[in-house]
Amino acid sequence: MTELFLGILTFLTSTIAAIVGVGGGMMLIAILPSFLPINALIPVHGLTQMTSNLSRAVFGYKDVQYEVIPKFLLGSFLGIGIFASILSFISLEYVPLFIGIYILLSLWSEKFNERIKRYESYFLAGFFQTGLSIIVGATGPLTMTLLLKDYKNKDEVVATSAALMSLSHILKVFVFMYFGFVFFDYIGIIIAMVIGAIAGSWVGTKLRNIIDGKKFTIILKVLLTALAIKVIVGVFI
């Protein structure tokens, strides 16, 4: 039953991400603490999001702006190395708290987002997006702002963001494998979520230019806010 629910949930969040470019991963990471132990939260989410973003990039491969990838990838390697080295010093008990606070700040704090915008290079975006992803899970908004500035075509922004995020998640999955996380222990859940992720990417890609993105984003922000508050409260109760 859990597998079916998480498969459907991943389908919905992957569809959302394929339509507006961001939000699906944040929504998923906010709900997963209710279904997975803390030590499995970021690794399983990472593998699922790797599939979601990679399939979204494949479905929109003609729109991916490949010239930004080398600098982003270089920054990602450096970021994942540095942040992975401090991962063992972070208490997993408070990971959901970091996730909830990060979601709220990225949604509602202009000052927080302005500080992020200062790192407007694909090298630094890769460094922080990939590095921070092993702690808070979903960091898509870090590059979305930069892409929106450089590209006006919605399909180009969404497809390129998906390509960059898939690189972040691929590196993250390798890090957790290095630290000894056994993905096979959650194989049933992972298979269900991977199927949901790919199906959601396909449906969302088809719906992207049909649904009003602005109204959809407002609803998404409200849902994410409620989920983030639930996650934060859950740490203390």
Side-chain angles (χ1 to χ4, degrees), residues 38-111:
I38 296 300
N39 69 308
L41 182 60
I42 304 296
V44 172
H45 175 269
L47 185 59
T48 303
Q49 289 304 107
M50 179 189 76
T51 308
S52 176
N53 283 279
L54 191 57
S55 59
R56 189 158 72 250
V58 169
F59 291 139
Y61 73 95
K62 291 181 180 179
D63 296 306
V64 175
Q65 303 304 295
Y66 296 97
E67 67 270 12
V68 307
I69 291 179
K71 291 181 180 179
F72 179 88
L73 190 58
L74 185 60
S76 294
F77 276 120
L78 183 60
I80 202 78
I82 291 176
F83 280 89
S85 66
I86 66 172
L87 187 61
S88 58
F89 300 102
I90 300 172
S91 173
L92 292 178
E93 179 184 354
Y94 296 104
V95 167
L97 180 63
F98 292 139
I99 293 169
I101 292 173
Y102 170 78
I103 291 174
L104 289 178
L105 286 174
S106 64
L107 287 175
W108 302 108
S109 173
E110 289 186 12
K111 187 175 290 186

Side-chain angles (χ1 to χ4, degrees), residues 165-183:
M165 278 303 301
S166 65
L167 293 174
S168 294
H169 288 298
I170 288 169
L171 292 175
K172 180 169 64 176
V173 167
F174 278 115
V175 165
F176 283 108
M177 289 174 66
Y178 173 79
F179 278 108
F181 183 80
V182 182
F183 285 95

